[in-house]
Amino acid sequence: MTRVVNKWKDFVDELLAFKWILFGVVIYIYGLSAKEHMYVASLQTKLLLNKWDLLHKFFGDIYLILYFILPVFLYRSISIMMSDFDYAVLIRLGSYRSWVYATLVRLIQSASISIIVWGAVSLVLSIGAPSFAGWSPFSRLNASLSETQILQKFINSPILALVLHLALFVFSVSCIHLVLAILYVKWKNKGIVVFVAVFIWVYGVVSFKLLSPHSLFNLCHYLILHSGVAQFSNIWGSFAMVIGWMILLIWIVNRLDLNVKGYNWKYTAFIVLVVLALWSGMRENVGQTVWDQFLFMFIGGSRQAFYFKSFLCYWVLYFGVIYLVQLHLQTELSEMGYYKLVRYQSISRWFWAWYHKIMLYIGLYLFALALLALFILSLKRFSFDFHVSIDRSVTLLDMFYHFFVNGYLQVSFYVLFVFLISWLSKETFYSFVGIAILSFFMFPGLNNRGIIPSGLNSMAYLLTNDSIYRISTVLFLWNVFAIVFLLYVFSKQDLDF
Amino acid sequence: MPHILLDQVSKSFKGATIFENVNFAVEKGKIYGIIGPNGSGKSVLFKLICGFLFPDHGRVIVDGEELGVNKRFPSDFGIIIDRPGYIAGKTGFDNLKALALIRNKISDDKIKQTMRLVGLDPESTQKVKHYSLGMKQKLAIAQAIMEDQQTLILDEPFNALDADSVENIRNLLRKFKEEGRTILLTSHNQEDIDVLCDEVYRINRFKLEKVKK
Ligand SMILES: Nc1ncnc2c1ncn2[C@@H]1O[C@H](COP(=O)(O)OP(=O)(O)OP(=O)(O)O)[C@@H](O)[C@H]1O
Ligand SMILES: [Mg+2]
């Protein structure tokens, strides 16, 4: 009996905890403006809405979910995993599989609390609206001004729609959690998990913003019911996809404890991704020469041309390698940093020794990339004529200069940037956040003057009227700036690990 | 049938060999001591026995079941391997309670009793982040024994303990042995090994070598 009472007490304590209040406040503030939006739409259409329209709005708003709820859940998922991963816990659970499910249960508990808070806030927000009475006249309109106008065409009862929506959301979040948990068990590395979580979030936002709304790859279709219904023209499409994923993931989870002799997956996975990125970079119907295709493979984005796929490829090719550098740096700093430092006697000397090696690696990496790209291209029937046919003003020399010199400067800056952040914060996590933010500047309109050192080595810049030498100058200055800043930080900071 | 059996086990990390074709059998009801210099692989051995690491070759068999086939971590093991990751903002009791809830086999009283046994005050409201090194070590011991685990894998259990506590824990371990429990431990203190262990093994040239008593 006391046990049950205690459980309830814990539950209520948790519910009242500060973070949940904050969570509610954010939803409330966002909800206020969303509500106003709905009333305006209702006035304009001269159709009455009711509480269901508002509830569906607050629970299903894409912006709210993508920019707030999803990050909160990703964070929660990771924090649960980190706090529960311990030999003393594992031995009691008996297997990694049980561990994965135990963390999933905790996440679902969290989700339930957040849905209660979310629902309470939504109910408060909908005070004053006409009461619940089936789908409102507003939602019957044949348009998509609101979540309800989409859902009403497919589901008879608004409450059922809401329950299905929440179920889909919880399923999806569970899938994401399973992915993260599997990665964590496999690699026992916080960095990888945080990186993937940030990636999922960026992917969610980017796929929503930049893919056509009818692309299967839009993450929103699987998180948010009305989005999925609009995509598949039925309720079950999204569920089928998510449950399919779930089955696959459960299958993997059930194999986690088996002793299969593995090899180093990190590098294999990276190489596979690089090959995929290069392969998907080809545009066979545009451009006949190998060099055209070479340009496309590394096209990235410029202020004038931006394709989501190219952005993803760029991410894999250039930010992926930064991730490996980061791993290297992490071991260096955590395992040996201090002892080495004592021997080098000064931080800057130690840094140069490390940076030296990295500079060499960057060069080798660019060479390897170029060779791999040419190898892949040689498998296809492109002409080996020595010119770029899609834009006669681009010479091969320009292209190589841009690829190697600007590529080198750009990657070198990324490395310095990541180093600086992990040095200052002593947390891998923040350098990933830093990378994510930096890569955001590749989005159209954010780097109009071409002075932010993000994606400046994209081949797309060859096709614009930017001077590649100007880019070199910009990147060079950024590198110098980063190094000077680092040396300054070194001279200021205590040696404290 | 031995309780724990390592059958032709090899393990290396990135080319650095730790074990090569090790055979090792543990009988129930004895105290085993493992010795060897730093970095020789004592902790790795314990992680292999608990299923946290898989051998590159060979098998680890506990109670007739190979780890990594149907079972991952052996059941009813109490372990100290690396220091447990405590919830720093909670008391010692709350930390143990959180672990106990996983299996839900023991009462709060049992937890408190165990804390007293190892020399901690169960009613103390001190948070673990303010614990001394020795107190954290006692907490680690407490979690390893509080559920009456029949096999104890203790990597350097006497670390950071004062003389009285060492004596106390030694007596505790002797009592456990009399109850028929199996204990594997490492220590860099020869005396611990001498007075406690029935069998002593040294890690030497990637093998486990029995030391004559
Ligand atoms: N996960 C791992 N990855 C790579 N190397 C490892 C890993 N775990 C252990 N090692 C290496 O295996 C060797 C043995 O380590 P282990 O911790 O078992 O030593 P030990 O005998 O317990 O030493 P100590 O007396 O200091 O506790 C060390 O060289 C260590 O660096
Ligand atoms: Mg050790």
Side-chain angles (χ1 to χ4, degrees), chain A residues 252-283:
Chain A
I252 296 176
V253 169
N254 286 335
R255 297 176 50 84
L256 272 182
D257 293 295
L258 300 185
N259 184 4
V260 278
K261 304 277 185 275
Y263 40 96
N264 205 334
W265 282 92
K266 241 177 301 188
Y267 297 99
T268 321
F270 179 65
I271 291 170
V272 168
L273 278 176
V274 165
V275 170
L276 279 179
L278 290 176
W279 190 275
S280 66
M282 285 190 282
R283 297 181 192 168

mmCIF file of all heavy atoms in Angstrom, chain A residues 252-283:
data_model
loop_
_atom_site.group_PDB
_atom_site.id
_atom_site.type_symbol
_atom_site.label_atom_id
_atom_site.label_comp_id
_atom_site.label_asym_id
_atom_site.label_seq_id
_atom_site.Cartn_x
_atom_site.Cartn_y
_atom_site.Cartn_z
ATOM 1 N N ILE A 252 16.483 -5.815 -34.226
ATOM 2 C CA ILE A 252 17.889 -5.493 -33.921
ATOM 3 C C ILE A 252 18.131 -5.539 -32.417
ATOM 4 O O ILE A 252 19.129 -6.098 -31.957
ATOM 5 C CB ILE A 252 18.253 -4.103 -34.484
ATOM 6 C CG1 ILE A 252 18.161 -4.112 -36.008
ATOM 7 C CG2 ILE A 252 19.664 -3.705 -34.054
ATOM 8 C CD1 ILE A 252 18.407 -2.766 -36.645
ATOM 9 N N VAL A 253 17.206 -4.971 -31.653
ATOM 10 C CA VAL A 253 17.388 -4.966 -30.191
ATOM 11 C C VAL A 253 17.512 -6.390 -29.673
ATOM 12 O O VAL A 253 18.337 -6.683 -28.812
ATOM 13 C CB VAL A 253 16.207 -4.250 -29.500
ATOM 14 C CG1 VAL A 253 16.252 -4.469 -27.997
ATOM 15 C CG2 VAL A 253 16.246 -2.768 -29.804
ATOM 16 N N ASN A 254 16.735 -7.292 -30.227
ATOM 17 C CA ASN A 254 16.786 -8.666 -29.754
ATOM 18 C C ASN A 254 18.085 -9.369 -30.110
ATOM 19 O O ASN A 254 18.383 -10.419 -29.574
ATOM 20 C CB ASN A 254 15.600 -9.460 -30.302
ATOM 21 C CG ASN A 254 14.327 -9.066 -29.598
ATOM 22 O OD1 ASN A 254 14.371 -8.591 -28.466
ATOM 23 N ND2 ASN A 254 13.199 -9.232 -30.253
ATOM 24 N N ARG A 255 18.830 -8.790 -31.019
ATOM 25 C CA ARG A 255 20.113 -9.394 -31.378
ATOM 26 C C ARG A 255 21.297 -8.704 -30.704
ATOM 27 O O ARG A 255 22.441 -9.091 -30.922
ATOM 28 C CB ARG A 255 20.300 -9.352 -32.903
ATOM 29 C CG ARG A 255 19.264 -10.161 -33.651
ATOM 30 C CD ARG A 255 19.455 -10.000 -35.146
ATOM 31 N NE ARG A 255 20.838 -10.235 -35.530
ATOM 32 C CZ ARG A 255 21.345 -11.437 -35.758
ATOM 33 N NH1 ARG A 255 20.589 -12.502 -35.650
ATOM 34 N NH2 ARG A 255 22.600 -11.570 -36.103
ATOM 35 N N LEU A 256 21.006 -7.693 -29.913
ATOM 36 C CA LEU A 256 22.086 -6.900 -29.333
ATOM 37 C C LEU A 256 23.015 -7.705 -28.442
ATOM 38 O O LEU A 256 24.193 -7.410 -28.322
ATOM 39 C CB LEU A 256 21.499 -5.773 -28.472
ATOM 40 C CG LEU A 256 21.172 -4.472 -29.151
ATOM 41 C CD1 LEU A 256 20.656 -3.482 -28.138
ATOM 42 C CD2 LEU A 256 22.401 -3.906 -29.848
ATOM 43 N N ASP A 257 22.475 -8.726 -27.792
ATOM 44 C CA ASP A 257 23.262 -9.446 -26.798
ATOM 45 C C ASP A 257 24.014 -10.625 -27.384
ATOM 46 O O ASP A 257 24.698 -11.332 -26.666
ATOM 47 C CB ASP A 257 22.339 -9.933 -25.678
ATOM 48 C CG ASP A 257 21.779 -8.756 -24.910
ATOM 49 O OD1 ASP A 257 22.570 -8.068 -24.270
ATOM 50 O OD2 ASP A 257 20.567 -8.514 -24.991
ATOM 51 N N LEU A 258 23.847 -10.839 -28.680
ATOM 52 C CA LEU A 258 24.518 -11.986 -29.271
ATOM 53 C C LEU A 258 25.976 -11.670 -29.530
ATOM 54 O O LEU A 258 26.346 -10.550 -29.867
ATOM 55 C CB LEU A 258 23.834 -12.371 -30.583
ATOM 56 C CG LEU A 258 22.367 -12.747 -30.437
ATOM 57 C CD1 LEU A 258 21.816 -13.222 -31.756
ATOM 58 C CD2 LEU A 258 22.210 -13.827 -29.371
ATOM 59 N N ASN A 259 26.781 -12.689 -29.372
ATOM 60 C CA ASN A 259 28.206 -12.512 -29.599
ATOM 61 C C ASN A 259 28.525 -12.770 -31.063
ATOM 62 O O ASN A 259 28.891 -13.862 -31.443
ATOM 63 C CB ASN A 259 28.970 -13.485 -28.697
ATOM 64 C CG ASN A 259 30.456 -13.289 -28.811
ATOM 65 O OD1 ASN A 259 30.924 -12.393 -29.504
ATOM 66 N ND2 ASN A 259 31.207 -14.123 -28.133
ATOM 67 N N VAL A 260 28.309 -11.749 -31.886
ATOM 68 C CA VAL A 260 28.726 -11.884 -33.283
ATOM 69 C C VAL A 260 30.030 -11.122 -33.429
ATOM 70 O O VAL A 260 30.135 -9.977 -33.017
ATOM 71 C CB VAL A 260 27.669 -11.323 -34.260
ATOM 72 C CG1 VAL A 260 26.587 -12.348 -34.494
ATOM 73 C CG2 VAL A 260 27.064 -10.047 -33.727
ATOM 74 N N LYS A 261 30.991 -11.782 -33.978
ATOM 75 C CA LYS A 261 32.298 -11.135 -34.083
ATOM 76 C C LYS A 261 32.220 -9.975 -35.068
ATOM 77 O O LYS A 261 31.957 -10.174 -36.244
ATOM 78 C CB LYS A 261 33.345 -12.154 -34.560
ATOM 79 C CG LYS A 261 33.426 -13.385 -33.672
ATOM 80 C CD LYS A 261 34.314 -13.142 -32.460
ATOM 81 C CE LYS A 261 34.512 -14.377 -31.615
ATOM 82 N NZ LYS A 261 33.480 -14.623 -30.636
ATOM 83 N N GLY A 262 32.391 -8.790 -34.564
ATOM 84 C CA GLY A 262 32.236 -7.625 -35.434
ATOM 85 C C GLY A 262 33.573 -7.002 -35.782
ATOM 86 O O GLY A 262 34.613 -7.417 -35.325
ATOM 87 N N TYR A 263 33.528 -5.999 -36.598
ATOM 88 C CA TYR A 263 34.730 -5.231 -36.894
ATOM 89 C C TYR A 263 34.411 -3.778 -36.619
ATOM 90 O O TYR A 263 33.370 -3.458 -36.040
ATOM 91 C CB TYR A 263 35.183 -5.456 -38.320
ATOM 92 C CG TYR A 263 34.044 -5.510 -39.293
ATOM 93 C CD1 TYR A 263 33.662 -4.384 -39.997
ATOM 94 C CD2 TYR A 263 33.334 -6.702 -39.475
ATOM 95 C CE1 TYR A 263 32.584 -4.441 -40.862
ATOM 96 C CE2 TYR A 263 32.269 -6.755 -40.336
ATOM 97 C CZ TYR A 263 31.910 -5.624 -41.030
ATOM 98 O OH TYR A 263 30.849 -5.665 -41.880
ATOM 99 N N ASN A 264 35.262 -2.903 -37.029
ATOM 100 C CA ASN A 264 35.042 -1.514 -36.648
ATOM 101 C C ASN A 264 33.975 -0.829 -37.497
ATOM 102 O O ASN A 264 34.221 -0.393 -38.613
ATOM 103 C CB ASN A 264 36.352 -0.733 -36.718
ATOM 104 C CG ASN A 264 36.276 0.439 -35.782
ATOM 105 O OD1 ASN A 264 35.191 0.928 -35.477
ATOM 106 N ND2 ASN A 264 37.419 0.875 -35.311
ATOM 107 N N TRP A 265 32.803 -0.743 -36.924
ATOM 108 C CA TRP A 265 31.653 -0.250 -37.668
ATOM 109 C C TRP A 265 31.726 1.231 -37.970
ATOM 110 O O TRP A 265 31.178 1.689 -38.956
ATOM 111 C CB TRP A 265 30.389 -0.513 -36.866
ATOM 112 C CG TRP A 265 29.966 -1.920 -36.952
ATOM 113 C CD1 TRP A 265 30.309 -2.928 -36.100
ATOM 114 C CD2 TRP A 265 29.158 -2.516 -37.963
ATOM 115 N NE1 TRP A 265 29.750 -4.102 -36.519
ATOM 116 C CE2 TRP A 265 29.035 -3.878 -37.657
ATOM 117 C CE3 TRP A 265 28.514 -2.001 -39.098
ATOM 118 C CZ2 TRP A 265 28.306 -4.751 -38.449
ATOM 119 C CZ3 TRP A 265 27.783 -2.869 -39.881
ATOM 120 C CH2 TRP A 265 27.693 -4.228 -39.558
ATOM 121 N N LYS A 266 32.374 1.964 -37.093
ATOM 122 C CA LYS A 266 32.372 3.407 -37.250
ATOM 123 C C LYS A 266 32.930 3.817 -38.609
ATOM 124 O O LYS A 266 32.309 4.564 -39.350
ATOM 125 C CB LYS A 266 33.253 4.020 -36.164
ATOM 126 C CG LYS A 266 32.525 4.947 -35.252
ATOM 127 C CD LYS A 266 33.454 5.453 -34.160
ATOM 128 C CE LYS A 266 34.032 4.343 -33.323
ATOM 129 N NZ LYS A 266 34.773 4.754 -32.145
ATOM 130 N N TYR A 267 34.095 3.233 -38.924
ATOM 131 C CA TYR A 267 34.727 3.622 -40.174
ATOM 132 C C TYR A 267 33.994 3.024 -41.357
ATOM 133 O O TYR A 267 33.823 3.674 -42.384
ATOM 134 C CB TYR A 267 36.203 3.227 -40.151
ATOM 135 C CG TYR A 267 36.933 3.962 -39.062
ATOM 136 C CD1 TYR A 267 37.207 3.359 -37.839
ATOM 137 C CD2 TYR A 267 37.283 5.297 -39.231
ATOM 138 C CE1 TYR A 267 37.842 4.057 -36.827
ATOM 139 C CE2 TYR A 267 37.917 6.002 -38.230
ATOM 140 C CZ TYR A 267 38.193 5.382 -37.020
ATOM 141 O OH TYR A 267 38.801 6.075 -36.021
ATOM 142 N N THR A 268 33.548 1.790 -41.195
ATOM 143 C CA THR A 268 32.784 1.164 -42.274
ATOM 144 C C THR A 268 31.552 2.006 -42.586
ATOM 145 O O THR A 268 31.278 2.304 -43.752
ATOM 146 C CB THR A 268 32.327 -0.242 -41.855
ATOM 147 O OG1 THR A 268 33.374 -0.850 -41.129
ATOM 148 C CG2 THR A 268 31.952 -1.066 -43.050
ATOM 149 N N ALA A 269 30.848 2.380 -41.520
ATOM 150 C CA ALA A 269 29.627 3.157 -41.721
ATOM 151 C C ALA A 269 29.955 4.465 -42.433
ATOM 152 O O ALA A 269 29.255 4.881 -43.354
ATOM 153 C CB ALA A 269 28.958 3.443 -40.380
ATOM 154 N N PHE A 270 31.052 5.078 -42.018
ATOM 155 C CA PHE A 270 31.426 6.352 -42.631
ATOM 156 C C PHE A 270 31.738 6.165 -44.111
ATOM 157 O O PHE A 270 31.271 6.936 -44.959
ATOM 158 C CB PHE A 270 32.623 6.957 -41.896
ATOM 159 C CG PHE A 270 33.072 8.258 -42.483
ATOM 160 C CD1 PHE A 270 32.247 9.370 -42.444
ATOM 161 C CD2 PHE A 270 34.307 8.361 -43.099
ATOM 162 C CE1 PHE A 270 32.641 10.568 -42.996
ATOM 163 C CE2 PHE A 270 34.712 9.560 -43.651
ATOM 164 C CZ PHE A 270 33.881 10.669 -43.603
ATOM 165 N N ILE A 271 32.502 5.113 -44.410
ATOM 166 C CA ILE A 271 32.871 4.904 -45.810
ATOM 167 C C ILE A 271 31.620 4.626 -46.653
ATOM 168 O O ILE A 271 31.460 5.163 -47.751
ATOM 169 C CB ILE A 271 33.901 3.758 -45.929
ATOM 170 C CG1 ILE A 271 35.215 4.228 -45.307
ATOM 171 C CG2 ILE A 271 34.110 3.359 -47.378
ATOM 172 C CD1 ILE A 271 36.232 3.147 -45.126
ATOM 173 N N VAL A 272 30.723 3.802 -46.105
ATOM 174 C CA VAL A 272 29.487 3.517 -46.834
ATOM 175 C C VAL A 272 28.728 4.822 -47.109
ATOM 176 O O VAL A 272 28.281 5.073 -48.230
ATOM 177 C CB VAL A 272 28.599 2.538 -46.031
ATOM 178 C CG1 VAL A 272 27.209 2.462 -46.638
ATOM 179 C CG2 VAL A 272 29.246 1.166 -46.001
ATOM 180 N N LEU A 273 28.649 5.657 -46.082
ATOM 181 C CA LEU A 273 27.942 6.929 -46.251
ATOM 182 C C LEU A 273 28.613 7.794 -47.310
ATOM 183 O O LEU A 273 27.945 8.421 -48.134
ATOM 184 C CB LEU A 273 27.906 7.686 -44.924
ATOM 185 C CG LEU A 273 26.817 7.255 -43.951
ATOM 186 C CD1 LEU A 273 26.937 8.012 -42.643
ATOM 187 C CD2 LEU A 273 25.448 7.515 -44.576
ATOM 188 N N VAL A 274 29.934 7.825 -47.279
ATOM 189 C CA VAL A 274 30.649 8.644 -48.265
ATOM 190 C C VAL A 274 30.358 8.141 -49.668
ATOM 191 O O VAL A 274 30.045 8.933 -50.570
ATOM 192 C CB VAL A 274 32.172 8.634 -47.977
ATOM 193 C CG1 VAL A 274 32.949 9.149 -49.168
ATOM 194 C CG2 VAL A 274 32.474 9.465 -46.745
ATOM 195 N N VAL A 275 30.422 6.822 -49.845
ATOM 196 C CA VAL A 275 30.161 6.275 -51.175
ATOM 197 C C VAL A 275 28.732 6.621 -51.615
ATOM 198 O O VAL A 275 28.507 7.063 -52.740
ATOM 199 C CB VAL A 275 30.388 4.749 -51.197
ATOM 200 C CG1 VAL A 275 29.889 4.151 -52.498
ATOM 201 C CG2 VAL A 275 31.862 4.442 -50.996
ATOM 202 N N LEU A 276 27.797 6.448 -50.686
ATOM 203 C CA LEU A 276 26.403 6.784 -51.009
ATOM 204 C C LEU A 276 26.271 8.255 -51.397
ATOM 205 O O LEU A 276 25.605 8.596 -52.370
ATOM 206 C CB LEU A 276 25.502 6.509 -49.809
ATOM 207 C CG LEU A 276 25.080 5.065 -49.602
ATOM 208 C CD1 LEU A 276 24.217 4.945 -48.358
ATOM 209 C CD2 LEU A 276 24.299 4.599 -50.827
ATOM 210 N N ALA A 277 26.923 9.107 -50.617
ATOM 211 C CA ALA A 277 26.819 10.541 -50.874
ATOM 212 C C ALA A 277 27.374 10.868 -52.251
ATOM 213 O O ALA A 277 26.772 11.626 -53.018
ATOM 214 C CB ALA A 277 27.563 11.325 -49.799
ATOM 215 N N LEU A 278 28.527 10.272 -52.571
ATOM 216 C CA LEU A 278 29.129 10.568 -53.870
ATOM 217 C C LEU A 278 28.242 10.027 -54.990
ATOM 218 O O LEU A 278 27.986 10.686 -55.982
ATOM 219 C CB LEU A 278 30.523 9.945 -53.951
ATOM 220 C CG LEU A 278 31.587 10.590 -53.063
ATOM 221 C CD1 LEU A 278 32.893 9.830 -53.148
ATOM 222 C CD2 LEU A 278 31.805 12.043 -53.460
ATOM 223 N N TRP A 279 27.792 8.809 -54.790
ATOM 224 C CA TRP A 279 26.979 8.165 -55.822
ATOM 225 C C TRP A 279 25.722 8.979 -56.101
ATOM 226 O O TRP A 279 25.376 9.242 -57.252
ATOM 227 C CB TRP A 279 26.600 6.762 -55.370
ATOM 228 C CG TRP A 279 25.977 5.963 -56.468
ATOM 229 C CD1 TRP A 279 24.673 5.967 -56.826
ATOM 230 C CD2 TRP A 279 26.653 5.091 -57.361
ATOM 231 N NE1 TRP A 279 24.482 5.129 -57.892
ATOM 232 C CE2 TRP A 279 25.686 4.574 -58.242
ATOM 233 C CE3 TRP A 279 27.979 4.675 -57.512
ATOM 234 C CZ2 TRP A 279 25.999 3.677 -59.253
ATOM 235 C CZ3 TRP A 279 28.279 3.779 -58.513
ATOM 236 C CH2 TRP A 279 27.300 3.297 -59.374
ATOM 237 N N SER A 280 25.062 9.389 -55.013
ATOM 238 C CA SER A 280 23.806 10.102 -55.227
ATOM 239 C C SER A 280 24.061 11.522 -55.728
ATOM 240 O O SER A 280 23.139 12.207 -56.129
ATOM 241 C CB SER A 280 22.991 10.138 -53.936
ATOM 242 O OG SER A 280 23.682 10.909 -52.981
ATOM 243 N N GLY A 281 25.318 11.955 -55.691
ATOM 244 C CA GLY A 281 25.628 13.290 -56.176
ATOM 245 C C GLY A 281 25.648 13.384 -57.694
ATOM 246 O O GLY A 281 25.551 14.470 -58.254
ATOM 247 N N MET A 282 25.759 12.240 -58.370
ATOM 248 C CA MET A 282 25.827 12.277 -59.835
ATOM 249 C C MET A 282 24.504 12.751 -60.425
ATOM 250 O O MET A 282 23.444 12.439 -59.906
ATOM 251 C CB MET A 282 26.138 10.878 -60.375
ATOM 252 C CG MET A 282 27.564 10.467 -60.188
ATOM 253 S SD MET A 282 27.937 8.957 -61.071
ATOM 254 C CE MET A 282 27.231 7.741 -60.008
ATOM 255 N N ARG A 283 24.615 13.530 -61.494
ATOM 256 C CA ARG A 283 23.381 13.904 -62.211
ATOM 257 C C ARG A 283 23.580 13.484 -63.654
ATOM 258 O O ARG A 283 24.137 14.234 -64.452
ATOM 259 C CB ARG A 283 23.151 15.404 -62.116
ATOM 260 C CG ARG A 283 22.939 15.854 -60.689
ATOM 261 C CD ARG A 283 22.687 17.332 -60.612
ATOM 262 N NE ARG A 283 22.764 17.758 -59.217
ATOM 263 C CZ ARG A 283 22.806 19.031 -58.845
ATOM 264 N NH1 ARG A 283 22.772 19.988 -59.752
ATOM 265 N NH2 ARG A 283 22.878 19.350 -57.576
#
